[in-house]
Amino acid sequence: MLLDLGLHESLPEIELEAGWRTWDWGERQAQVRQLLKATPPEVASGPRAKFYETYLTLVKSNAERAKTADFQRMCKEGIKACLQQWNELPPVGTPAHIGTLHMFQLMVELADASNIYSSLASTKVENLETKSGDLKSVLQTWRERLPNNSDPINIWSDLVAWRQHIFKAINDVYVPFITQQQQQQTASAEDGGQGDTATKGANKNKADTKNGRKGGDADSSKVDEAKSAGSANNSALTSYAYRGYHEMAWIINRFAHVARLHGLVDVCISSLTRIYTLPNIEIQEAFLKLREQAKCYYRRPQELQSGLDVISNTNLMYFSRGQKAEFFTLKGQFLAKLDKLDDANHAFATGAQLELNSPKAWAAWGRYNDECFCRNIPDTTGAVNAISCYMQAAGLSKRPRVRRFLARTLWLLSQDNANGSVCAAFDAYTGEMPTWYWIALVPQLLAGLDASYSRQSQQILLRIAKQYPQALYYALRTAREESLIQRRQQTPAAESSTADAATS
C-alpha cells in the first residue's frame, strides 16, 4: 500500500522506504539510484540513504563483490552520518537514540555482509563445507546481535528485511550445489552399477570356488559401504547448502516471538506462515514455529480449539523429550482453558513424566493445581499438588522467576486445614531447595513463625542462616526487637487486668 502511494504520488522517500524490503536489489539498482537522487537533500545525506547507497555498492556484479575502495568509502560516510546524528541528540538517553543505534548496527552488518559476499564468490562444491563453516561464525554473531525485546517492532522488521536479503544471496549460491552433487552421485552410481555387473560376471565364473564366493561377498560389502557413505555425504551437503534457509527460519521465529510479546498477534501469525514457504528448516525451528503459533491462539478465546487442534495434529516423532514435554504442557493449558479439567491434568502429568527435569512442565502443572484449589478452597487436594509442583519447579529452575512459586507456596501453606496435609506435602519434598531466592521472602518467613506453618518457616530460616547469615541477621534482629517491644506493652496491660479482677 505504501509502495503504491509513493509511486502514484511521486514520493520517492516513501517508495524507497516501502520497497527496499521486498525488491530484488540486483535487478532494481538503476531504480534505487534514481529514487535516491530524487529524495530531498536532508534525506539523501542521512544515515538511511547512506545505507542504501552502500548496499547498492555491495550488490554489484560478481567480479566487484569483494571489498573495494568505493565500498569502504561509503561505509565510512554512513558511519560518519550516524555519528553526526548521534551528536545532535541530547546527552541523556532517550527513545530517539534507539533508531540511531539501529542504523549503527546496519552499518556494522554491512561490513560483515561484504565478507559474506567475498566468501560466496569463491565457494565451490569442493570447499562448501569449509566456506559454510566460515559463514556460520558470522551468522552466529548476527544471532547474538539483536535489538531488545522492548524495542519498537519497526526496528525488528527492518533488521529481518535486511538480513533476509543476505540470506537470499547465500541461497542463490549454495542451493544449486545440491543439484550438482546429486548429478555427480547419479553418475557415480551408474559407473558403480556397471562395475557391479562386471564383478558379478566374474564371480559367476568362479562360483565353484570358495575364494570366488568370498570375493563376491567382499565386493558386495564394499558397494554397501559406498552407498551409505554417499548417503551421509549427501545429508551433510544438504545441511550446508540450506544454511541460508535455516537462518531465515530462525530470524522469522525470533521476530514472531517479539511480535507476540508486543501483543501483535496477527503480525506474529502472518510471519510464521512464511516458514511454510521455505524448502528446508531444522527440527528446532519447526518446534519454535508451532509453539509460537499455539501461544498466539491461546491469547484468543475464540481460537482456543484451533490451537488445540494444531498441537494435537502435530507429529511428535522427531522432537526431543523436552520438546514433547512442552507440547503436552501447552496441550494441558488449552484443555484447562476449555474447562476439560481431567484431560488437562492428564496432559500436564504426561508432560512432567516425559521430562522430569523440565521446570516449565512442573510450573505449569503447579499453576493448574493452584487454580483448581482457588476454585474450591475447602478441598486442599489442589494445594497439596500445587506445592509439590512448585517446589519441583523451584529446585530445577534456579532462576529469579522462581520467587513467584515460592510466594505462592507460602500462601498455600497459610491455607492449610486442621489435618496439616498442605504442610505435610511441603515436608515431603526432598529435592534441592533454592535457598538464595528465599531471602527475598525473609519478612514473610519471620511472620510465619507465629502462623500454622511455623515449623516450615523455621526450617527455611535455618537454611538461610547456615548459608547466608548476613542476609538474615538484620531482618531477624529487627523482628526480635519488635517482638520485645510488643511483649513489654502487653505485660503492663495483663498486670492491670489481673489487679482489676482481684479487686472486684
Side-chain angles (χ1 to χ4, degrees):
M1 184 183 296
L2 289 176
L3 184 61
D4 294 338
L5 176 65
L7 183 63
H8 291 95
E9 299 296 332
S10 299
L11 300 172
E13 182 180 356
I14 295 179
E15 184 179 356
L16 188 61
E17 180 66 23
W20 78 273
R21 305 166 186 269
T22 57
W23 285 340
D24 186 346
W25 282 64
E27 300 176 357
R28 299 278 189 132
Q29 294 186 44
Q31 181 182 357
V32 173
R33 287 195 175 89
Q34 291 178 358
L35 291 173
L36 287 172
K37 291 179 181 179
T39 54
E42 61 274 9
V43 177
S45 60
R48 175 71 72 173
K50 295 298 181 183
F51 167 74
Y52 296 148
E53 294 176 4
T54 309
Y55 185 47
L56 277 176
T57 308
L58 188 63
V59 295
K60 286 184 179 180
S61 60
N62 293 335
E64 301 175 356
R65 277 185 174 178
K67 285 188 175 180
T68 61
D70 191 21
F71 177 79
Q72 293 292 337
R73 179 182 59 82
M74 295 300 300
C75 270
K76 291 180 180 179
E77 290 182 0
I79 294 175
K80 183 179 178 181
C82 291
L83 288 171
Q84 184 177 357
Q85 189 179 70
W86 182 270
N87 289 330
E88 294 174 355
L89 295 173
V92 181
T94 63
H97 289 77
I98 298 176
T100 307
L101 286 173
H102 172 60
M103 290 309 306
F104 271 118
Q105 178 175 354
L106 292 182
M107 297 306 300
V108 170
E109 293 191 0
L110 265 174
D112 295 338
S114 176
N115 296 328
I116 293 175
Y117 273 70
S118 299
S119 176
L120 294 177
S122 58
T123 301
K124 300 177 182 178
V125 180
E126 294 77 13
N127 63 356
L128 177 60
E129 181 177 356
T130 303
K131 294 294 184 179
S132 179
D134 296 339
L135 287 188
K136 184 177 181 180
S137 61
V138 178
L139 298 176
Q140 181 62 35
T141 304
W142 281 17
R143 288 191 177 194
E144 298 172 357
R145 188 195 296 144
L146 292 174
N148 296 323
N149 290 344
S150 58
D151 286 342
I153 198 66
N154 290 336
I155 287 180
W156 278 90
S157 178
D158 264 8
L159 188 67
V160 172
W162 147 247
R163 290 187 178 180
Q164 283 188 330
H165 285 300
I166 305 302
F167 299 153
K168 182 179 180 300
I170 296 174
N171 294 330
D172 292 341
V173 176
Y174 279 11
V175 172
F177 291 149
I178 299 177
T179 305
Q180 296 180 20
Q181 182 70 11
Q182 290 175 349
Q183 292 175 353
Q184 292 178 3
Q185 289 182 354
T186 302
S188 300
E190 291 177 354
D191 295 340
Q194 294 176 359
D196 294 343
T197 303
T199 303
K200 288 179 181 179
N203 290 335
K204 184 176 181 181
N205 294 331
K206 300 178 182 179
D208 295 334
T209 64
K210 184 176 181 180
N211 293 332
R213 288 194 298 271
K214 289 183 178 180
D217 294 340
D219 292 337
S220 177
S221 63
K222 289 181 180 178
V223 171
D224 294 338
E225 291 176 359
K227 289 181 179 179
S228 62
S231 177
N233 292 335
N234 188 26
S235 177
L237 176 69
T238 302
S239 176
Y240 297 135
Y242 284 121
R243 177 80 67 192
Y245 286 116
H246 295 169
E247 295 298 324
M248 277 187 180
W250 187 89
I251 195 65
I252 290 174
N253 274 328
R254 189 64 186 167
F255 174 74
H257 172 72
V258 174
R260 181 178 61 82
L261 294 180
H262 284 237
L264 304 173
V265 178
D266 292 331
V267 175
C268 178
I269 294 177
S270 63
S271 299
L272 292 173
T273 54
R274 293 159 57 190
I275 295 182
Y276 286 121
T277 63
L278 304 181
N280 185 281
I281 61 174
E282 296 176 318
I283 295 297
Q284 175 67 16
E285 303 309 323
F287 165 74
L288 293 176
K289 183 262 176 190
L290 292 170
R291 186 180 69 177
E292 289 298 327
Q293 186 178 0
K295 287 185 176 181
C296 286
Y297 289 137
Y298 189 75
R299 285 177 170 237
R300 296 178 170 179
Q302 67 275 15
E303 295 184 1
L304 288 175
Q305 188 61 46
S306 299
L308 182 60
D309 293 340
V310 169
I311 297 173
S312 301
N313 297 330
T314 300
N315 186 3
L316 304 180
M317 182 185 303
Y318 302 101
F319 295 124
S320 65
R321 295 181 65 87
Q323 292 170 344
K324 292 177 182 178
E326 194 162 351
F327 264 114
F328 276 102
T329 301
L330 282 172
K331 184 176 182 180
Q333 292 174 350
F334 275 92
L335 290 170
K337 215 164 187 179
L338 291 170
D339 290 331
K340 299 178 180 179
L341 302 183
D342 292 338
D343 294 338
N345 188 65
H346 178 71
F348 284 123
T350 305
Q353 290 172 359
L354 281 172
E355 184 56 61
L356 294 175
N357 295 325
S358 173
K360 288 184 177 180
W362 287 108
W365 198 8
R367 283 192 293 266
Y368 164 77
N369 286 295
D370 197 347
E371 292 174 359
C372 290
F373 171 69
C374 292
R375 293 179 182 177
N376 187 14
I377 288 183
D379 185 6
T380 59
T381 304
V384 170
N385 296 332
I387 279 190
S388 300
C389 295
Y390 281 151
M391 295 306 298
Q392 288 285 352
L396 293 170
S397 181
K398 300 177 184 178
R399 293 184 180 182
R401 66 179 63 180
V402 305
R403 294 191 185 105
R404 69 182 75 173
F405 307 145
L406 303 180
R408 290 300 299 174
T409 299
L410 284 181
W411 182 82
L412 291 170
L413 288 173
S414 67
Q415 305 297 316
D416 199 4
N417 55 12
N419 298 328
S421 56
V422 180
C423 292
F426 182 88
D427 296 334
Y429 174 73
T430 59
E432 186 174 354
M433 182 76 73
T435 309
W436 172 257
Y437 296 114
W438 277 109
I439 294 175
L441 300 172
V442 165
Q444 289 79 8
L445 291 171
L446 292 173
L449 293 174
D450 297 329
S452 59
Y453 55 97
S454 58
R455 186 165 57 85
Q456 288 72 26
S457 297
Q458 183 181 6
Q459 292 176 0
I460 300 171
L461 289 171
L462 288 174
R463 284 176 176 267
I464 298 175
K466 291 178 181 179
Q467 299 184 29
Y468 311 101
Q470 289 184 334
L472 179 62
Y473 173 74
Y474 294 104
L476 185 59
R477 179 179 176 180
T478 302
R480 178 178 176 276
E481 292 178 353
E482 291 178 354
S483 178
L484 289 175
I485 293 173
Q486 290 179 358
R487 289 180 182 178
R488 289 171 185 171
Q489 293 176 352
Q490 291 174 358
T491 301
E495 292 177 352
S496 62
S497 61
T498 304
D500 293 341
T503 303
S504 61

